[in-house]
Amino acid sequence: MPRLLTVLVLASLSVTSAASAQQAAPAVAKPNVVLIITDDVGYGDIGSYGAPDIKTPNIDSLARDGTKLTDFYATPQCTPTRAALITGRYQQRVRLERAINPGPQDPGLAATGRSLPQLIKNNGYATGLVGKWHLGWKPEFSPNAHGFDYFFGFKSGFIDYYQHTRQDGMDDLFENDKPVHVPGYMTDLITDHSVKFIEQHARQPFFLEVTYNAAHWPFQIPDHPSVAPGNARFVQPMDDMTSTREDYVKILERADQGVGQILETLKRLGLAQNTLVIFTNDNGGEWLSRNAPLFHRKDTLWEGGIRVPAIVRWPGHIPAGKVSAQVGITMDLSMSILSATGTPVPAEARLEGLNLLPILEGRSPAVERT
C-alpha cells in the first residue's frame, strides 16, 4: 500500500475510533439551578437557624441534604441585593443602593447583555423568574429585558397578597411584560408557576429564580381572602390594629410549604440529583422577624440587617449535613451559578463575586474575607 494511502487509512481509523469512543461516553447533563429567595426573613426565623416557633421542614431539608452557611451577607434592603445578584457586582456600580419606588419615572437596572440570566440563556438554558423583581418598572428594566425567558410576578417592593396591588392601589401582577389578573394568594401563585416552569422545562437545562414576597409586610395570613383589605394591609408597629408574630409565622410557613412543592417536583421528575438548589434571603428581618442571635434589623448595617440564611444543596457535589463559616455575599451566588453551569463569562462583565462551590465541596480551602 502506498505510504500516503496508509497514512490516510490510519488517520481515518483514528478519527473513527475517537468518534466511537466519544459516542460511547455517557453525556454529562448540564445541571439545573433553582434559586429560592425569601423576603425580609430574619436570620433566626428558619428551623435550622434556631427558630423556636416556626416550622420550616422543607427549607431545613436543604440543610440536612446540603451545606448551611453561617456567615452569608446581603444588603440592608432588597433592591441593592437583587441588583448585586443580577449583575454579579456591587450594587454601587449601578447606583441602586436603596429600595426603589415603582413607577415610570423611577430608576431601574439597565440591561447590558451581561446579566446573570442573559449569560445563562446564552449557554442554552431556559430561564425563568417567578415572584418579586423590584429592579425597575419600565419594560426596558424588566426581567425579560435581562434575559429571563419567562416572568410571572410583580415589579414593586411589596404587594397585597390577595389583590396583587401596590401600596398606592395600582395593579402589579405581570406575565412577562403583560399585566394579568390571576386570583389567589401570592405565595401560592409563586409556587404554582414555579412548579409549572419546572414541568415545562424538565427535558432541558433550566435556571429558575423563585422570589417569594413572604414574609414581607403587609402581614396578610393565608386562607383569609374575605378580610384581606383589612388584614394587616401595610400596618406598622405603632398602629392600633397591628400584626402579630403568629401572623408572621403563618405567612412564612406557607412559603416553606411552597418550597416543599418545588423540591417534590424536582424529585418526581427525576431532576433532584442534577439540580443545584440555593436558598437565601434578601436582607435582614423586619419588626416581626427573629434576627437572633444578631443585633438589629433590616435597614441597618448591624449584623441583623445584613447577615442572612443561605443553604446550598447539590447531590454528589456539596456535602450533606455540613455547616460552613465561609464568608459569602450575594454576588458570590452569581459567580457560583455561572461556574456550576459552565457558562462563559465575557471579560467586560467584570464580576466581583467568589465561586463558593470549590470551598463548599472541600476542594479548596476557606478564603479569609473582610
Side-chain angles (χ1 to χ4, degrees), residues 163-343:
Q163 299 180 13
H164 314 143
T165 53
R166 308 181 327 199
Q167 188 168 7
D168 60 6
M170 183 174 179
D171 291 334
D172 185 7
L173 187 61
F174 294 83
E175 187 160 30
N176 296 318
D177 282 325
K178 179 183 177 183
V180 294
H181 294 275
V182 183
Y185 189 66
M186 194 64 215
T187 302
D188 297 340
L189 292 179
I190 292 172
T191 298
D192 294 344
H193 283 76
S194 297
V195 167
K196 184 177 179 181
F197 180 90
I198 294 171
E199 291 173 339
Q200 291 177 336
H201 299 282
R203 295 184 177 275
Q204 66 182 116
F206 61 82
F207 166 56
L208 173 62
E209 183 181 347
V210 183
T211 51
Y212 283 108
N213 53 323
H216 197 296
W217 63 296
F219 298 114
Q220 297 167 298
I221 62 176
D223 303 322
H224 285 76
S226 61
V227 296
N231 179 16
R233 184 178 172 90
F234 314 124
V235 296
Q236 292 289 351
M238 67 289 296
D239 293 335
D240 291 334
M241 297 295 291
T242 193
S243 300
T244 66
R245 174 71 176 178
E246 288 73 21
D247 296 332
Y248 179 90
V249 167
K250 292 176 182 177
I251 294 168
L252 184 51
E253 287 186 345
R254 189 60 155 254
D256 180 77
Q257 293 169 20
V259 172
Q261 292 180 47
I262 292 170
L263 297 180
E264 179 57 34
T265 301
L266 293 173
K267 182 179 178 180
R268 169 169 55 85
L269 297 175
L271 302 174
Q273 287 296 118
N274 194 43
T275 300
L276 168 63
V277 179
I278 302 171
F279 169 81
T280 191
N281 189 66
D282 62 348
N283 45 243
E286 258 281 9
W287 60 275
L288 283 177
S289 307
R290 177 181 181 271
N291 293 313
L294 310 177
F295 175 70
H296 229 305
R297 50 170 267 190
K298 173 185 177 179
D299 285 338
T300 78
L301 286 170
W302 295 98
E303 290 287 289
I306 56 177
R307 202 198 304 188
V308 295
I311 307 172
V312 182
R313 186 190 81 175
W314 191 9
H317 297 267
I318 303 296
K322 298 291 185 180
V323 177
S324 173
Q326 172 62 55
V327 174
I329 193 167
T330 305
M331 65 280 290
D332 293 344
L333 300 182
S334 315
M335 181 71 86
S336 301
I337 290 169
L338 291 167
S339 176
T341 56
T343 297

Side-chain angles (χ1 to χ4, degrees), residues 30-31 117-126 205 337-338 340-344:
K30 292 180 178 179
Q118 185 64 61
L119 292 176
I120 295 178
K121 179 178 178 178
N122 295 348
N123 193 31
Y125 276 68
I337 290 169
L338 291 167
T341 56
T343 297

Side-chain angles (χ1 to χ4, degrees), residues 36 49 234 315:
I36 302 170
Y49 283 82
F234 314 124

Side-chain angles (χ1 to χ4, degrees), residues 28 33 36 42 57 100 134 159 164 169 186 202 284 343 345:
V28 178
V33 179
I36 302 170
I100 58 176
H134 206 189
I159 60 171
H164 314 143
M186 194 64 215
T343 297
V345 179

